[in-house]
Amino acid sequence: MAANTADLVSLEVLHNRLEAIVEQMGVTMLKSAHSPIFYESKDYSVALFTPGGELLAMGQYIPHHQGGMYAALAAVVGVHPPESMAEGDVYLINDSYLGGTHTADFNVFSPIFVGARLVAYAGCVAHQMDIGGMNPGGYCPAATDIYQEGVRFPGVKLVDKGVVRDDMLRTILRNVRLPEQQRGDLFGQLAALRVGVRAIPETVERYGVDAFTRLCADLIDLTERRVRAEITALPDGKYVAEDAIDHDGLEDRLFPMKVTLTVKGDDLTVDFNGTGEQARGFINASESNTRASTIAALMLFVDPEIPRNHGFFRPLTIEVPEGTLLNPRYPAPVGASTTECGGRVYDLVLNALAQADPENGFGTWSMCWLGVSFTGTDPRSRKPFIHWVLDGLGTGGGGRAHADGWNASSVAASNCLIPNVELEEETYPVRFVRRELWTDSGGLGKYRGGLGLETELRVEIDCQMTVLGSRAQKAPPPGIFGGGPGGAAGVWLHRADGSSEQLPIKATGIALCAGDRIVMRAPGGGGYGDPAERDPALTEADRRAGFISSQPTGKAA
């Protein structure tokens, strides 16, 4: 515990230094990667960990990544104990049942030494554009087990004392559909690690190893105290949230989900009993992803000035029954772990927290991602391509206690961005027709939910399409405290021959012809409070802005 002002100043200086290091790591990944999903959209995360594997500092990218990285690092250390590690080593893991999130997320870690003493670990996780499996692009809606979802690496040494293992690199690249591109992405991850490996020893030298270790422990303790203070401010009691996820890739039905949040003093118990049995399809969330999403939801709810580190983990008790959607038995598929059931964990926990603290709560800010991918061979380069359209990140934010929800944004993906149209059209054989806010998609309420993004684009060549989403008509984003639901997600196909159809919310192998158009609508945000209490002046302003039509219904048109 920091005992005096000098110690508090040292903690603040160290905290900011660690934040600067992870930011440098993130920028290095941004500048080094070869795929637009990284250098344009930032679908990766970076972090530092203590020698004991506790989260020390995290980059401001995708919050649940870091919680997953903690579990993945623990798995690596279980196979490669610290005494077997050497300076320059790098370890790779992407096995969801050993730790981490889903198979497509490559976690890489490197130990950091000062002399012979281990002082920290650097980590980087990035979603690979392809990892083999039965469907291009990493997501396999038809999968019935994890073996169909791609190649897995259970904590293997990728770099040995600074030298990349050629056998491991060849194995990885032989199993993916975009080897040149993904080689560059993987080396971008390694470059990010090197920033941390070089910067931490310089920081340690300013304090000495023992003082640095003590300050790191104090920093985590400080976060724990601040988080516990936030929990103490909540009324003791039980808060229950229920929801459902639609379509598992194989069955178009609702899968129930439930959480009971118990506040007792400065402790928080999050119990997922009541959640449905694991699905046959790929929507299941790995246990480590469920825990990571729970922690991330708490991070999103409390004071944003609290340092994001392992102190968030300590006040939480998380109970996840085995054999359910949120802790499936091996070898159930978990390819959509992050975007489907894992995303719904955010929704459930945030809803329960809102019941405990209505002033800081909000209607459902859908934590799903409406994904559409095109795959084929680009005639310009004569090379295969995989294009995930990230406009589906533009979900509507939930209405809040004193304000309407944000339009077309993604709090779960945090720092993730939707790529510019110009870059998309330059990189892939598509043309964007329009990208705009979707009228009437915000849930009605005293404070309206934010609007989702509607995008229309045209494919320029014959290709294949995959659709991955949720929050469709059967399970739109719910409002809170009497607020209405946000607009439901959907994807429509308009053929060049004039025919049209609404596509299933999860589907793969859809054949497209040049000239076909796709319209995708990301879900809107749930409303907050009774719509009858809304200020008429706000309603009129919405009408003038085109956010609502003349006769809004609170549902998607």
Side-chain angles (χ1 to χ4, degrees), residues 440-444 476-480 483-488 524-527 553-556:
D440 288 340
S441 58
L444 300 182
I480 196 168
T553 64
K555 297 182 179 180

Side-chain angles (χ1 to χ4, degrees), residues 320-546:
V320 194
E322 187 179 10
T324 63
L325 293 163
L326 300 177
N327 183 12
R329 294 186 178 92
Y330 187 85
V334 292
S337 178
T338 57
T339 58
E340 298 298 309
C341 282
R344 199 67 88 249
V345 167
Y346 275 95
D347 294 341
L348 287 165
V349 174
L350 287 169
N351 182 287
L353 285 167
Q355 295 176 44
D357 185 7
E359 284 295 298
N360 288 314
F362 47 87
T364 299
W365 190 334
S366 184
M367 303 300 177
C368 77
W369 164 52
L370 176 63
V372 169
S373 77
F374 306 118
T375 59
T377 300
D378 191 332
R380 299 171 297 183
S381 64
R382 297 182 181 178
K383 292 182 178 180
F385 71 92
I386 299 172
H387 176 203
W388 279 104
V389 182
L390 298 182
D391 289 51
L393 290 171
T395 61
R400 295 163 285 171
H402 304 288
D404 293 339
W406 286 7
N407 295 326
S409 53
S410 177
V411 69
S414 189
N415 212 30
C416 235
L417 301 176
I418 298 172
N420 291 323
V421 166
E422 294 81 3
L423 181 133
E424 295 275 86
E425 293 183 340
E426 178 183 348
T427 307
Y428 303 109
V430 299
R431 289 293 178 267
F432 280 73
V433 178
R434 58 191 172 90
R435 177 187 276 174
E436 60 193 14
L437 295 177
W438 171 25
T439 299
D440 288 340
S441 58
L444 300 182
K446 181 178 181 180
Y447 290 100
R448 171 184 48 74
L451 275 60
L453 190 65
E454 179 172 334
T455 300
E456 180 178 353
L457 63 165
R458 183 179 66 248
V459 295
E460 301 290 278
I461 65 169
D462 295 353
C463 57
Q464 297 280 317
M465 180 172 69
T466 293
V467 177
L468 166 63
S470 60
R471 291 295 185 200
Q473 289 292 343
K474 293 182 179 179
I480 196 168
F481 306 129
V491 179
W492 289 261
L493 169 58
H494 301 285
R495 295 283 189 184
D497 64 11
S499 62
S500 298
E501 62 177 310
Q502 183 172 358
L503 298 174
I505 202 64
K506 293 181 179 74
T508 190
I510 302 169
L512 300 181
C513 298
D516 288 348
R517 293 177 295 114
I518 301 298
V519 175
M520 51 191 296
R521 287 177 169 177
Y528 186 109
D530 186 348
E533 297 179 9
R534 185 165 178 79
D535 184 341
L538 293 178
T539 300
E540 181 57 30
D542 283 346
R543 187 174 288 110
R544 291 198 305 269

Side-chain angles (χ1 to χ4, degrees), residues 10-264:
S10 295
L11 279 180
E12 184 65 16
V13 170
L14 178 62
H15 166 58
N16 283 283
R17 177 57 183 151
L18 294 173
E19 292 287 311
I21 292 172
V22 291
E23 179 62 23
Q24 288 175 317
M25 292 170 65
V27 169
T28 300
M29 177 66 185
L30 178 75
K31 300 295 185 181
S32 303
H34 286 212
S35 298
I37 197 172
F38 300 134
Y39 67 71
E40 183 75 8
S41 297
K42 305 181 183 177
D43 187 2
Y44 59 86
S45 291
V46 290
L48 296 168
F49 300 85
T50 69
E54 292 189 320
L55 179 64
L56 181 57
M58 55 180 268
Q60 299 303 313
Y61 295 95
I62 298 180
H64 69 258
H65 270 167
Q66 284 84 357
M69 290 172 74
Y70 159 73
L73 176 58
V76 166
V77 172
V79 178
H80 305 275
E83 57 269 21
S84 71
M85 296 180 177
E87 186 173 352
D89 287 350
V90 176
Y91 302 90
L92 165 66
I93 184 170
N94 71 325
D95 191 320
S96 309
Y97 283 93
L98 297 179
T101 46
H102 63 161
T103 307
D105 284 343
F106 267 19
N107 294 268
V108 291
F109 301 99
S110 188
I112 304 175
F113 294 91
V114 171
R117 187 165 172 181
L118 177 68
V119 296
Y121 293 97
C124 178
V125 56
H127 179 99
Q128 298 299 306
M129 287 296 291
D130 187 77
I131 193 58
M134 64 192 297
N135 197 53
Y139 292 102
C140 307
T144 56
D145 61 50
I146 198 169
Y147 303 112
Q148 298 168 319
E149 296 186 312
V151 62
R152 288 172 293 147
F153 300 95
V156 297
K157 185 182 287 188
L158 177 62
V159 180
D160 187 6
K161 298 178 183 178
V163 179
V164 177
R165 290 183 54 188
D166 182 66
D167 57 344
M168 285 305 308
L169 185 61
R170 286 187 292 107
T171 298
I172 295 168
L173 300 183
R174 187 67 173 174
N175 280 280
V176 300
R177 294 174 173 89
L178 304 174
E180 295 178 16
Q181 181 175 306
Q182 290 180 241
R183 182 182 188 278
D185 295 335
L186 184 56
F187 274 78
Q189 289 189 259
L190 299 182
L193 294 183
R194 291 175 66 182
V195 170
V197 169
R198 291 175 177 175
I200 286 294
E202 296 172 0
T203 304
V204 173
E205 288 177 5
R206 298 177 58 182
Y207 300 97
V209 174
D210 291 337
F212 174 80
T213 301
R214 176 180 59 81
L215 284 170
C216 288
D218 287 347
L219 184 60
I220 294 173
D221 289 344
L222 177 62
T223 288
E224 180 185 357
R225 292 196 299 276
R226 293 183 64 179
V227 173
R228 288 190 181 277
E230 297 263 336
I231 295 171
T232 301
L234 301 175
D236 280 3
K238 292 183 182 290
Y239 306 92
V240 178
E242 297 186 66
D243 206 334
I245 192 160
D246 42 341
H247 209 312
D248 72 340
L250 302 173
E251 296 179 78
D252 187 6
R253 66 175 178 89
L254 293 179
F255 297 80
M257 301 184 70
K258 180 180 179 180
V259 70
T260 301
L261 192 77
T262 302
V263 180
K264 186 176 182 180

